[in-house]
Amino acid sequence: MKAYVTAIIENYVREYEKTSATKWGRPLVGFADAAHPMLPELRVVADKNHVMPQKVLEDAAIVVCYFLPFTRETAKSNIGDGHASPEWARAYEDTNALFTRLNAHLIEQLEARGYRAAVSPEATTFDREVLMSRWSQRHMAWLAGMGTFGLNNMIITDAGCCGRFSSVVTNLDVTPGAPLTTENCLYKREGKCGVCVRHCFSGALTTEGYDRKKCFGVCSENAAVYNDFGNSYAADAEGVIMDTGSEVCGKCLVGVPCAFGKPFREE
Ligand code: B12
Ligand code: SF4
Ligand code: SF4
């Protein structure tokens, strides 16, 4: 079933990009244990109302997580201080739109085989005061063993961190992955690199920590410029839809050694 799910995702993306301005690299797919003992801790480290998979699907067993890498061209367009590139803003909106359709397709395919699957509606909303979501895509991917948190806060996968995550809760009966035991970020591994921090011209990201409000300020400035590519993530935590524009930046995940792969040679 793992190969089947992976093939559905890969095929969908390849078909979809034939008519999309944005292109993607090969998707990575992971499987998280929906009953992992660390899941309740999300309510401590992330949002206190973080949704548990069993609330999304009663007999939740596996959270299918997937990562869509951006292309090197998309990343290159966004290198340098100032506003995010139009290609970056478009890739953000196009990827979120693709997620909605691909998740519906995946659910349909699984249901046709007698399984059940659902998406957490909270995944595409966040509280605009505390700047947290009640469904953390990164933590699900981390639990699935898809990668580790970089200094830039991104999950660094085998295909790097320059891309986006989505997830679907299922009752699949497959063996889940487990969190990795070694770091994929050079700074966390060996105390060197920090290129992501140097790219953050606003000072939101430092080696001491991350100021999400400052970062959101930069993303909001870009949203004022990019109003034409779509309006995903526009719902607040209560589901109220706002006309926000594309809240993007992403300077800390382009032109960095972990953008498209692990930033070190495997031993
Ligand atoms: C709210 C939100 C924002 C807010 C707040 C950012 C933030 N860091 O939380 C704003 C609007 C500012 C924002 C900005 C960006 N975002 Co954003 N954002 C989200 C959203 C909706 C929720 C994230 C959340 O709840 N964070 C709250 C807390 C829990 O996270 P945190 O502050 O990073 O702290 C945790 C980690 O640092 C972690 N951690 C660090 N080290 C370790 C080690 C271990 C062992 C563990 C367990 C945890 C851990 O622990 C902390 C507490 O749990 C998610 C989508 C989703 N539903 O998950 C996307 C998401 C995180 N964003 C994403 C991206 C790409 C961006 C931007 C680049 C914007 C852009 N697209 O151009 C910037 C990057 C900012 C940055 N460097 O962090 C991607 C990340 C993809 C990836 N490769 O990992 C996500 C997953 C969206 C997606 N669908 O792919 N974002
Ligand atoms: S740029 Fe370097 S320090 Fe920053 S997340 Fe990537 S590997 Fe870690
Ligand atoms: S997204 Fe932009 S403002 Fe936010 S941490 Fe990264 S470089 Fe800094």
Side-chain angles (χ1 to χ4, degrees):
M1 271 317 276
K2 281 185 175 177
Y4 176 73
V5 169
T6 304
I8 292 175
I9 293 171
E10 281 181 357
N11 293 342
Y12 193 92
V13 174
R14 290 291 80 92
E15 260 323 293
Y16 191 92
E17 67 181 2
K18 285 183 185 161
T19 54
S20 155
T22 298
K23 314 288 176 205
W24 294 271
R26 191 173 184 185
L28 289 187
V29 184
F31 301 83
D33 182 355
H36 198 284
M38 286 189 77
L39 265 170
E41 279 181 40
L42 281 183
R43 294 197 165 138
V44 182
V45 296
D47 193 284
K48 65 179 187 312
N49 295 314
H50 198 286
V51 173
M52 292 297 116
Q54 291 70 22
K55 173 133 184 283
V56 181
L57 189 73
E58 216 177 312
D59 54 345
I62 291 288
V63 182
V64 174
C65 305
Y66 62 95
F67 176 68
L68 288 197
F70 286 165
T71 61
R72 286 177 193 271
E73 290 69 39
T74 303
K76 203 168 156 205
S77 73
N78 199 36
I79 294 175
D81 291 355
H83 285 137
S85 70
E87 292 87 346
W88 185 266
R90 182 190 278 276
Y92 167 86
E93 299 293 354
D94 285 354
T95 311
N96 290 344
L98 162 60
F99 283 156
T100 306
R101 295 185 179 126
L102 170 47
N103 288 345
H105 175 68
L106 181 57
I107 292 169
E108 204 180 283
Q109 295 299 308
L110 290 176
E111 284 177 351
R113 286 199 151 206
Y115 294 99
R116 285 164 22 92
V119 171
S120 169
E122 283 81 2
T124 47
T125 67
F126 65 92
D127 184 316
R128 303 179 78 83
E129 284 303 312
V130 295
L131 301 176
M132 284 196 195
S133 170
R134 291 180 194 153
W135 183 266
S136 172
Q137 302 284 18
R138 280 176 299 179
H139 283 82
M140 293 299 165
W142 179 79
L143 279 176
M146 293 183 77
T148 62
F149 285 87
L151 180 62
N152 62 0
N153 284 329
M154 299 295 103
I155 291 287
I156 304 174
T157 69
D158 286 353
C161 67
C162 192
R164 297 183 68 72
F165 282 97
S166 189
S167 58
V168 176
V169 182
T170 72
N171 67 347
L172 284 174
D173 181 17
V174 298
T175 311
L180 303 182
T181 51
T182 52
E183 298 288 351
N184 281 350
C185 165
L186 278 180
Y187 188 82
K188 293 194 174 180
R189 225 177 138 89
E190 305 164 16
K192 45 186 201 196
C193 185
V195 179
C196 50
V197 166
R198 293 205 288 279
H199 284 193
C200 181
F201 62 91
S202 72
L205 185 71
T206 67
T207 47
E208 278 70 52
Y210 165 71
D211 182 337
R212 72 187 64 225
K213 290 227 176 308
K214 215 178 235 184
C215 177
F216 188 46
V218 175
C219 295
S220 304
E221 280 171 29
N222 281 305
V225 177
Y226 297 118
N227 260 304
D228 298 337
F229 298 129
N231 193 34
S232 50
Y233 273 105
D236 68 7
E238 309 313 321
V240 178
I241 304 289
M242 288 158 295
D243 187 12
T244 55
S246 306
E247 290 162 333
V248 291
C249 169
K251 303 292 178 182
C252 54
L253 50 152
V254 297
V256 292
C258 58
F260 290 105
K262 289 184 188 170
F264 52 84
R265 217 172 280 188
E266 301 279 6
E267 278 134 36

